[in-house]
Amino acid sequence: MLAAAATLSPASAQNRFWLINQSGQTIESAFVSPSRLDNWGPDILGQSMLGAGQQVHVTPQATDCVLDIRVRYQGGREETKMQVNACSLTRVVFSGGGGAGASIRGSGARATTRVAGDPSFSFVNRSGSVIRELYVSLNTDRSWGRDRLGEQVLEPGYDRWIELPAGRSCAVDVKIVYMNGREQERRGLETCSRSEIVWR
């Protein structure tokens, strides 16, 4: 287990994360940069390398939450994750395929007060399995819409705040996709009178 060299400060503590190598290959260099910059900066591994199954704790020098992360494997192949919100996750996983790999810590922005007819809620994963995709729509909508997790995944025990428009419907449909591709759906869930849905 490695620790990336970086200056600690209270302002930057919120964007710290574990960079985890689950690619089956050795990572020879890694770069973390604020998404607003064009320069990748120095290799955070320095003279070290990150073997398969190893992880390194990263404390970015910048205080930005939104980061770009790039790793270079032995042999020269690169994998990049763009615009990762490091303030809302604890781990970023590189699997060698460039797919989803950021694990969500919490719900992000939550509504502090709820107006009548607001169907927004916190989705809590108690299924015991990692959720790869999460779709939520009002039951009056004709499509599922976007994946609420984006490039991230939702691990067991973690939650995601789902923001929905108020005043249209209190019934929502939910579809999830696990890492193995298995899907589950629940339709017509009433959420205006509850603050969370626990998925088991």
Side-chain angles (χ1 to χ4, degrees):
M1 187 180 299
L2 304 175
T7 302
L8 288 172
S9 69
S12 65
Q14 64 180 345
N15 65 359
R16 290 181 294 178
F17 62 91
W18 287 99
L19 190 157
I20 302 174
N21 181 9
Q22 291 185 357
S23 67
Q25 308 167 62
T26 297
I27 294 175
E28 63 179 16
S29 55
F31 306 89
V32 177
S33 173
S35 295
R36 60 183 171 81
L37 300 181
D38 295 328
N39 180 21
W40 280 105
D43 175 11
I44 64 171
L45 298 181
Q47 299 300 312
S48 302
M49 291 192 292
L50 195 65
Q54 292 186 328
Q55 59 186 4
V56 58
H57 195 245
V58 179
T59 302
Q61 292 183 335
T63 60
D64 299 55
C65 285
V66 182
L67 306 172
D68 296 339
I69 306 168
R70 172 174 290 174
V71 301
R72 182 178 296 120
Y73 299 103
Q74 281 188 324
R77 192 174 67 84
E78 295 182 341
E79 183 179 354
T80 305
K81 297 184 185 295
M82 306 295 288
Q83 296 186 330
V84 175
N85 187 345
C87 293
S88 66
L89 53 82
T90 57
R91 307 188 306 161
V92 176
V93 179
F94 281 85
S95 59
S103 300
I104 297 172
R105 172 191 291 135
S107 59
R110 297 171 181 259
T112 55
T113 59
R114 298 186 67 180
V115 299
D118 183 359
S120 302
F121 64 94
S122 178
F123 178 93
V124 184
N125 181 12
R126 300 289 186 192
S127 67
S129 301
V130 177
I131 293 175
R132 186 182 72 196
E133 300 170 35
L134 170 61
Y135 301 91
V136 180
S137 64
L138 299 177
N139 70 339
T140 54
D141 293 338
R142 295 184 177 181
S143 66
W144 284 110
R146 63 182 175 85
D147 174 13
R148 300 281 177 156
L149 301 181
E151 291 298 312
Q152 301 175 324
V153 297
L154 190 63
E155 294 193 350
Y158 293 91
D159 63 286
R160 178 71 167 177
W161 180 253
I162 305 298
E163 192 74 31
L164 294 167
R168 289 176 50 192
S169 175
C170 285
V172 304
D173 300 333
V174 180
K175 180 174 79 170
I176 62 103
V177 181
Y178 294 106
M179 293 299 290
N180 62 4
R182 184 169 63 91
E183 299 182 2
Q184 284 187 338
E185 294 183 16
R186 295 178 190 170
R187 295 179 177 268
L189 301 174
E190 194 281 321
T191 58
C192 288
S193 63
R194 60 202 293 191
S195 61
E196 67 179 25
I197 289 178
V198 178
W199 196 273
R200 301 183 188 277

